[in-house]
Amino acid sequence: MKLRQRIVAVLMRGEEWLFANPKYVLGMILAVTLGFATQLPSLKVYTDFSDLLPQKHRYIQTYNRIKENFGGANMIVMAIEVDDGTIFNDETLALIFEATQGIDNLPSVNHNLVSSLTHRTSRKVYLTSDGNFASESYYDPAKTARSAEELEQLRKDVIANPRIYGLLVSPDLKAALIKAQLNESELDYAKTFAALQQVREQVSTPGHHVYITGNPVLTGYVYTYLEQIIAIMFSTLALLALLLIVYFRRFYGVALPLLGIALSSIWGLGFMALLGYNLEPLSMPIPFLIAARATSHGVQLVARYYEELAITKSGKQAARNALDALFRPGSLAIVVDALGLAVLMLGAAPFNWKLGISAGFWGLAVIFTVHFMVPLALTVLPQPKKTENKNQGMRSFLAALMARTGGTQAGATAILVIAGVLMAGGAVFASRVQIGESEPGSPILKRDHDFNLSTKAINERFPGSEELHIVARTAEKGGIKRPEVLQAMEAFQAHMQYDPALGGVKALPAVVRVVNRLTHSDDPRWMQLPDNAAEVGGLMFAYMASSPIPGALKEFVNADEDEANMVFFYKDHRAETINRAIALAQEGAAQVMARVPGLTIEIGGGLIGVTAAANEALHADHMVIIPLVMAVAFVLVMLYYQSLHAGWLMVLPMLFSTVMTYAYMGIQGIGISVNTVPVIAVGVGVGIDYAVYFMDRIREEFAHTRDIRQAAINAFSTTGYAVSFTALTLIAGVVMWIFLSDLRFQSDAAVLLSFMLIVNAVAAMLIVPAWCVVFKPRFVTGEADAASEGALQPA
């Protein structure tokens, strides 16, 4: 008790100072606000791909090492499909060439990692009459017309090349791919996407379909919705203002909570800009929710002010009494909120670190921008002429409702039993939630969006647009040329082909086999791997020498010839696809490394590789972040109230809402991703506000009534009314995303958040008072506690 009394004494002295110097404090808040406002012009909204990756994960470390040589996860894939016949006609080939040139000229493109049938690196390798290697491009842009015989020969040449047929030209010969890797260090998604759309428009002609997919395309589409996001922001503010007007029907009740939104948003966004952090477009509902949470604290304070004004008839005294009553629970809720948000810093990706720091500061800033600002502003502003409480009718209705349900022993017991049954049932559905995506395409966009339709079309016609890069690395330079290494790579590829979802493979051994056959008069019997490293090296040199383009083997092997890239093609990056592929890769790697000394097989590239790393990190993150949010709430509330029971009563509604949230995700097939974990963490923390305010109001009412049932009834009719409205305002902060956002992820995230907000409010309003009625916790009913708080009760 001594610790708590010291805390109370410090809070009382702080409160006395605040009300003794309201204009000084408001002036400081305004000055800091202006300081943060000067930083807002430097705030940027963009996606940093590396921020979304767990940089310390072994897959990502491999990915960062190989992406410049072998390609990363930011790959653009375009397909041109002909309606009738095959692509082997002059018009279609010209379109493929035009598209290839256009993509090769995109901003940020890696010119060494562009490939298509008509690209300069796609060449027919053959033996000359004097036995030397030579090569020529499949397509000559200077030649505008070809005879039927020439087109037929081109068709045969393409079918004979396993690097082209099936990988860059579809098996039915009706479509061709153009693929390009982008340099992540200088990637401008918006600029690149705009240029890509111009290329697509130029090659979209009658008789052809053009499809585009890839992570840069997905991100580019997201950028096109930024204006819509701004429109949703203004729509949300208008809705919040309307709700405040309906609820309060008084100027202060509307103006001060909206002012709190403005001040806290300036502090939060200005802080992000000051640190050089960017706003991630897909995480935009989170800042909206944090801002709406600032509104909820403002609503609680203004609602209590009008309650006290109806009693005291004095504006200054009512403001003082409102802060007296809500200073402790409000400050505690805000601090727990802020620390709960800051826990996101523990996530493996840099995005989590940035979000945790900025959201934690933003949440903590509410103490100054709302919790102090609102009552101090009410102190210096003119007193309202009308002092009656306009919401008394609704409060009386809520009191009567609670008196017949949770305000009775039987009703409270029934509420707890029903909650327990729901949690047990919810746990079954919650177990179905998986890490990663649960469907093909991208859940960020609608299922009928051009991106998802293009992705589906490309995957139906080709081995797959989703790549997994796996590196074979030897201890010594030139080690890749060892026959046993090439044989191990082929054994590994064969093991990976146990996966029925694997669409195809591209790797060095196949190139060596083809060149070996060519050196022996194109005899198929010689399509085999040589038995010594010198001969392998000779075949590799012959292949490179046949091409006038430098780096003919760069996509397969590095300059030191101690790393070789194997590319595996998949049609989606669903969690089950990735899990199966990674399990097979780990199993196959262990087998071949055991047989070949000095050989290591490393997973780490392509969209499949980085997504696998992200999924593994997310599994660890969400197993830490969500429990830690609850642990922080438990510890802080327990320490403040000096009661384990208080800590448990804080966690109970949060635990209930979390189980229900995961159950909802399991039913709806929503996976845990880098975008959903922060949403869940923020949504879970919302219950902190509700529970703290309810717990403290029950304690306060019990000190007056000495009847736990009546205390619960009074709390439900007062704080419960405010909580129900604040829940409504919080939902209003995200609900517009459901109806106005064309980004499916933001719409789905808003639905998920709305569900969490409703469940949190219901849990706090029903479970907390029901628990108090049934178990009568001592931190609520103890006479010593009540007496020690007497000095802080409103006058």
Side-chain angles (χ1 to χ4, degrees), residues 59-60 467-469 582 603-614:
Y59 297 172
I60 302 304
E467 294 184 355
L468 170 61
H469 293 199
I582 296 300
I603 302 167
L607 188 61
I608 296 288
V610 299
T611 305

Side-chain angles (χ1 to χ4, degrees), residues 491-629:
F492 180 81
Q493 292 170 219
H495 184 82
M496 293 293 289
Q497 287 172 347
Y498 282 115
D499 185 353
L502 180 63
V505 183
K506 183 176 71 173
L508 180 63
V511 176
V512 174
R513 284 179 178 273
V514 169
V515 177
N516 196 19
R517 185 188 71 181
L518 286 172
T519 61
H520 292 84
S521 304
D522 211 17
D523 187 342
R525 292 175 297 178
W526 283 95
M527 195 170 178
Q528 57 185 273
L529 296 176
D531 57 6
N532 63 85
E535 190 173 347
V536 171
L539 294 174
M540 291 169 60
F541 176 79
Y543 180 82
M544 290 186 288
S546 70
S547 173
I549 308 300
L553 283 176
K554 188 173 182 179
E555 62 181 310
F556 296 103
V557 64
N558 67 350
D560 290 332
E561 297 177 339
D562 59 359
E563 285 188 339
N565 188 34
M566 295 177 282
V567 183
F568 299 87
F569 299 96
Y570 295 87
K571 297 182 183 296
D572 62 69
H573 58 274
R574 291 181 299 163
E576 61 179 285
T577 301
I578 292 175
N579 293 341
R580 189 172 57 246
I582 296 300
L584 277 170
Q586 290 172 341
E587 186 179 278
Q591 291 176 5
V592 300
M593 287 191 297
R595 295 200 303 263
V596 182
L599 173 66
T600 58
I601 303 292
E602 298 180 0
I603 302 167
L607 188 61
I608 296 288
V610 299
T611 305
N615 288 352
E616 289 185 13
L618 281 170
H619 178 70
D621 286 352
H622 100 280
M623 293 297 289
V624 171
I625 289 175
I626 305 303
L628 196 54
V629 170

Side-chain angles (χ1 to χ4, degrees), residues 26 119 141 232 294 339 371 599 694:
L26 290 172
H119 192 260
I232 293 173
L339 290 177
H371 207 53
L599 173 66
F694 243 104

Side-chain angles (χ1 to χ4, degrees), residues 175-450:
L177 286 185
I178 303 98
K179 304 171 76 172
Q181 292 282 350
L182 301 184
N183 296 313
E184 293 174 12
S185 59
E186 53 192 62
L187 181 52
D188 184 332
Y189 285 107
K191 186 177 179 181
T192 302
F193 180 73
L196 177 64
Q197 289 290 63
Q198 288 184 350
V199 174
R200 184 184 192 182
E201 185 177 348
Q202 291 168 2
V203 299
S204 296
T205 61
H208 298 84
H209 285 93
V210 182
Y211 308 103
I212 53 173
T213 188
N215 185 66
V217 179
L218 173 62
T219 306
Y221 274 122
V222 171
Y223 274 53
T224 64
Y225 294 106
L226 289 180
E227 290 185 4
Q228 184 185 75
I229 290 172
I230 294 173
I232 293 173
M233 177 183 71
F234 286 108
S235 300
T236 299
L237 289 174
L239 179 58
L240 286 172
L242 178 63
L243 288 174
L244 290 169
I245 291 170
V246 171
Y247 180 72
F248 284 109
R249 301 186 297 281
R250 293 183 174 185
F251 178 73
Y252 293 164
V254 177
L256 290 179
L258 290 179
L259 179 60
I261 284 184
L263 294 181
S264 66
S265 297
I266 291 172
W267 282 42
L269 296 175
F271 180 75
M272 291 183 68
L274 183 65
L275 295 182
Y277 292 169
N278 60 293
L279 266 176
E280 164 62 46
L282 288 179
S283 68
M284 288 299 287
I286 295 176
F288 275 71
L289 184 59
I290 296 173
R293 287 169 79 168
T295 309
S296 72
H297 291 285
V299 167
Q300 291 280 356
L301 285 162
V302 177
R304 187 59 180 257
Y305 168 78
Y306 283 126
E307 276 186 47
E308 299 295 334
L309 183 63
I311 299 171
T312 64
K313 310 301 181 183
S314 168
K316 290 185 177 181
Q317 188 60 49
R320 177 66 181 271
N321 289 354
L323 189 61
D324 276 340
L326 300 180
F327 184 70
R328 299 179 317 280
S331 298
L332 179 62
I334 291 169
V335 170
V336 175
D337 272 351
L339 290 177
L341 292 169
V343 166
L344 290 169
M345 293 166 55
L346 299 178
F351 166 74
N352 294 105
W353 173 268
K354 293 180 179 180
L355 182 61
I357 289 179
S358 52
F361 175 83
W362 194 338
L364 188 63
V366 172
I367 285 184
F368 305 99
T369 59
V370 176
H371 207 53
F372 292 164
M373 183 277 293
V374 169
L376 293 179
L378 289 169
T379 300
V380 300
L381 289 171
Q383 177 179 319
K385 294 179 180 179
K386 296 180 179 180
T387 60
E388 73 276 7
N389 193 344
K390 295 183 178 181
N391 296 318
Q392 192 55 49
M394 180 58 72
R395 297 180 191 279
S396 299
F397 169 77
L398 291 175
L401 179 65
M402 189 64 171
R404 287 192 290 269
T405 55
T408 66
Q409 187 75 21
T413 303
I415 288 172
L416 295 180
V417 170
I418 292 172
V421 171
L422 287 174
M423 285 185 69
V428 175
F429 292 102
S431 64
R432 301 178 183 176
V433 179
Q434 61 183 11
I435 306 293
E437 308 297 356
S438 58
E439 60 184 69
S442 172
I444 292 173
L445 302 170
K446 293 183 178 179
R447 292 181 177 88
D448 60 353
H449 190 280
D450 177 77

